[in-house]
Amino acid sequence: MPFTKNNYIRTSWLRVYGYALLFLVTGCKVIKNYPSPQPFVYKTTIKLDAKLPSTDRANLISKIENQLSDSLQVRYSKKGFLKKQLDRPAVFDTSYAVESVRYINDLLRAYGYMYGKISWDSSITKVEDQKRVTTTFRVNPGKVLRLDSIGFDFRDSTLQTLVQNSRKESTLKKGDPYSNEKISAEIDRMLNVFRDNGYLKITRQDVYAEVDTIVAALIDPGLDPFEQIRLLEEVQKRRENPQIDIIFKQRGTENPEHLQQYRFRYIRFYPDLSIVADSSISTNKDTVSRRNISVIRSRDMTKPSFLFRNNQMIPGNLYRQKDVYRTNNVFQQMSAWQQVGIDLFPVDSLGVVDADVNMYLAKKQNISVDVEASRNATDLITTTNLFGLALNFGLQDRNLSKQSVLASTNFRFGIELGNQGRIIQTFQTSITQSFTIPKFVTPFKIPRERRLQSSRTLLSASGSITNLRDFLRVQSINTAIGYEWTNAKNRNWYYSPLNVEYVRLYKTDSFYKQAAIIPNLENFYNDGLIISQYLILRNAWARNKKVYNLKIQLEESGGIFGNFKQFDLKARLFRFAKADIDFRHYINKRNTSWAFRFFVGLGIPYGKQYDSLGNIITEPNLPFFKSYFAGGPSSMRAWQVRQLGPGSSKFFQGTNTFRFADFQLESNIEYRFPLGTLFGINLKSAFFADIGNIWYRNNQGNPALDDGVFRFKNLYRDIAVAGGTSLRLDFNYFMIRFDWAYKLKDPLFAEQQNGWFQNINLLKGQFQLGINAPF
């Protein structure tokens, strides 16, 4: 390439960008108070020689690093933005490395690596008067020891029966890698089984695992020579494929009360205790008793029947640890009490246990006043941003009807300040009333409700009026009844058999003028009635450092009431069915984490509707407030909210209208990492990618919308891809997020390299302001 001035400038800028990127990646390391001229520990690395899956490999390296001698663990502290500081590094001593080898070897054996090889070496780098020592550990763990047989041998016949009956719940399986953690977890599982069957005092000292290998048989002095030859051959095979046998046993009888089964005798409730001493509380106690359950109170704040009903510890029944936990959790989750604790008093000579339930009252009533500020960048009518202010008044009663019913009343008054000759653009007023009842309220009894970890009924009603001055007035009401519960597997369910939402609009001439210009405006603002039911399942679980969250939601409207014509004539009843799946996966490491999210949602409008003249029409879309959209601070971040899609359609290009559809696919990936601290605020960042779009199910009779219809063969063409980075201010209790994203693949340019890297400019990305993490 011939040398030109432009080439020189371009090369110089590339160097600047390269140095800047290198600085961002490496940051700045400062070493203070080092022991000159003695060599000091500067860096310690682990080189693992093992064929393991990437996640297992990273986990093992992390465990090995934790086993290093404290003096070899190099810990940098963060000082300001991208600055790391190493203060008072340890003087290097070979004894630290020898000690670390022993610790690492113990770790490998604890995880079933019996034939590991560990070596180390070190090197010194001189920088001015510093002698920096880098230590490298090379670890070859060898083959992992696997479980061959798992047995149980308890002298006590009851314990043996309980263990045998619960074997299916064991996580130990033949062929699994051996580890001390798994053995310990199995012992904990058995202890929980025993404690749920009356064994109140049994502990880990009473149960142990006997690890037996075939090598142990070789030390038998009476072993037959031929049997010895066979065992030696077996030893050689097992060295190539090492296996181990485990038998769980019961220790001696030094503590006979540990092998005693207990039964509940007396249960005593103290429902009106105060964490802070209150001299106004009467010292006279009122006691109400029923079948060895007593309620001892100083004030008439709780109905005894309510406490009896929610108690799980039944006098005369075998002591069960889960009954104690369940009773504590049920009352702890209720709004009336700030803190709940249970004290147990076993009587060994009688084999019984008494329980005191100590319940500390929360403040019964609470009044709150909040001021809220917002920026509306998504208004359909104005082409610029609006600034909003709102005042919220809240009133709570945490112990309505003396049964821990939570009653909440909220008033909200808000305005949006205009910028087109009006000081006030929008008025909004709303009122919401809700009740949370800590039980199922139904016309029939729910079987096995007592076996649930929690159950409650939610009632709510709200109404609002929004006035867009000289343009549109919106009146809406909403009422719902719902049931929420958590089952024994810790899965959270919510079912609403009746949810009513009604929206009534009053349009002006200005509205109709805008509707003639802006596509979809008529569909976005419309009267409508929803009478729906919906079911939500939430499930969360964790494995090591991996966390999983799953949410499934199903909703349908008009399935029953849609058969009555008067609902369509007077209120335009929407009839539709929806299904959403939201799956999230987190991989957490010491300072960094990976976050993944996958979402798919589909809505299908169905049935017949009627217009104001009584003519039958077919509803082409979901109601706008139930539709899917993409863009904004928590979705496809390279697009403004509701400004992506549908598909690769250009129908809405250049128009200031919201885009919504019946189907959505989206996946998000983030790599999250810390940056340091600034003025005491934790600075964090992330690199992220968003992939997805929304689509129609059909073109609604408009050929111009064909490219907005989902077709599997066009998925790659229609999919949008965003990428960017983020700056996050973490205040511990909440986080402010500043995201900057680019349209890496824009479906609007599907005809040009499938939309990849079109119109990308370094300074022309999309800024998003968000609160907390996007998912």
Side-chain angles (χ1 to χ4, degrees), residues 60 63-64 67-68 97-119 137-142 180:
L60 183 55
K63 290 182 173 69
I64 292 174
Q67 291 297 111
L68 295 175
V98 174
E99 185 180 49
S100 296
V101 169
R102 187 171 67 254
Y103 293 157
I104 295 172
N105 189 60
D106 291 341
L107 172 77
L108 294 178
R109 288 183 176 275
Y111 281 90
Y113 294 98
M114 307 302 293
Y115 308 107
K117 296 180 181 179
I118 307 166
S119 62
F137 289 87
R138 292 176 173 82
V139 180
N140 184 342
N180 288 352

Side-chain angles (χ1 to χ4, degrees), residues 243-309:
Q243 295 178 330
I244 191 170
D245 301 326
I246 294 177
I247 301 177
F248 294 94
K249 292 186 175 184
Q250 172 188 343
R251 292 191 190 277
T253 57
E254 292 82 2
N255 300 303
E257 69 275 9
H258 289 196
L259 300 180
Q260 182 175 5
Q261 286 181 294
Y262 290 78
R263 292 183 177 273
F264 289 114
R265 183 175 64 168
Y266 298 123
I267 311 298
R268 296 178 289 262
F269 283 90
Y270 298 88
D272 53 10
L273 300 179
S274 178
I275 293 179
V276 180
D278 188 347
S279 59
S280 64
I281 298 177
S282 173
T283 56
N284 297 324
K285 301 291 185 180
D286 174 34
T287 302
V288 179
S289 299
R290 180 200 295 177
R291 297 175 183 174
N292 286 353
I293 304 177
S294 301
V295 177
I296 305 168
R297 55 186 182 172
S298 301
R299 293 173 287 178
D300 185 17
M301 299 289 289
T302 308
K303 291 182 178 181
S305 59
F306 171 71
L307 299 175
F308 297 150
R309 184 174 67 247

Side-chain angles (χ1 to χ4, degrees), residues 145-392:
L145 192 65
R146 297 188 178 274
L147 302 178
D148 186 24
S149 65
I150 302 109
F152 303 92
D153 185 16
F154 288 81
R155 295 191 313 275
D156 187 280
S157 59
T158 304
L159 295 181
Q160 181 69 13
T161 300
L162 290 173
V163 167
Q164 292 292 351
N165 291 340
S166 65
R167 289 194 68 162
K168 292 182 179 179
E169 301 173 9
S170 174
T171 57
L172 296 181
K173 305 297 180 185
K174 182 175 180 178
D176 286 351
Y178 168 90
S179 75
N180 288 352
E181 286 182 356
K182 292 181 179 180
I183 303 303
S184 178
E186 178 65 10
I187 292 177
D188 288 339
R189 184 195 69 81
M190 290 187 292
L191 291 175
N192 287 332
V193 171
F194 300 150
R195 289 167 185 161
D196 283 338
N197 286 274
Y199 292 92
L200 168 65
K201 290 192 172 184
I202 197 166
T203 67
R204 293 184 65 90
Q205 295 178 355
D206 301 307
V207 181
Y208 71 99
E210 182 178 271
V211 179
D212 183 26
T213 67
I214 195 170
V215 180
L218 289 172
I219 65 175
D220 183 0
L223 188 64
D224 181 86
F226 294 101
E227 180 66 13
Q228 187 175 26
I229 294 173
R230 187 189 66 80
L231 289 177
L232 287 171
E233 292 177 352
E234 187 69 20
V235 167
Q236 183 60 34
K237 292 179 181 178
R238 291 202 173 192
R239 188 174 182 86
E240 298 173 359
N241 185 22
Q243 295 178 330
I244 191 170
D245 301 326
I246 294 177
I247 301 177
F248 294 94
K249 292 186 175 184
Q250 172 188 343
R251 292 191 190 277
T253 57
E254 292 82 2
N255 300 303
E257 69 275 9
H258 289 196
L259 300 180
Q260 182 175 5
Q261 286 181 294
Y262 290 78
R263 292 183 177 273
F264 289 114
R265 183 175 64 168
Y266 298 123
I267 311 298
R268 296 178 289 262
F269 283 90
Y270 298 88
D272 53 10
L273 300 179
S274 178
I275 293 179
V276 180
D278 188 347
S279 59
S280 64
I281 298 177
S282 173
T283 56
N284 297 324
K285 301 291 185 180
D286 174 34
T287 302
V288 179
S289 299
R290 180 200 295 177
R291 297 175 183 174
N292 286 353
I293 304 177
S294 301
V295 177
I296 305 168
R297 55 186 182 172
S298 301
R299 293 173 287 178
D300 185 17
M301 299 289 289
T302 308
K303 291 182 178 181
S305 59
F306 171 71
L307 299 175
F308 297 150
R309 184 174 67 247
N310 287 280
N311 172 52
Q312 303 288 333
M313 301 178 294
I314 309 302
N317 285 2
L318 271 179
Y319 166 83
R320 297 183 188 276
Q321 177 180 257
K322 63 182 178 184
D323 291 341
V324 177
Y325 289 166
R326 190 176 300 167
T327 300
N328 188 86
N329 291 338
V330 165
F331 287 111
Q332 185 69 61
Q333 292 174 14
M334 293 181 182
S335 57
W337 292 281
Q338 182 177 354
Q339 183 176 321
V340 177
I342 299 179
D343 294 329
L344 300 175
F345 303 96
V347 181
D348 298 337
S349 60
L350 300 177
V352 296
V353 57
D354 301 334
D356 286 355
V357 185
N358 303 306
M359 311 173 76
Y360 298 87
L361 284 170
K363 188 176 181 181
K364 186 176 187 298
Q365 294 179 330
N366 179 59
I367 298 176
S368 62
V369 180
D370 298 320
V371 178
E372 177 184 311
S374 63
R375 181 179 66 91
N376 181 3
T378 64
D379 193 271
L380 284 172
I381 310 309
T382 60
T383 57
T384 54
N385 298 332
L386 300 178
F387 181 74
L389 294 172
L391 193 62
N392 297 302

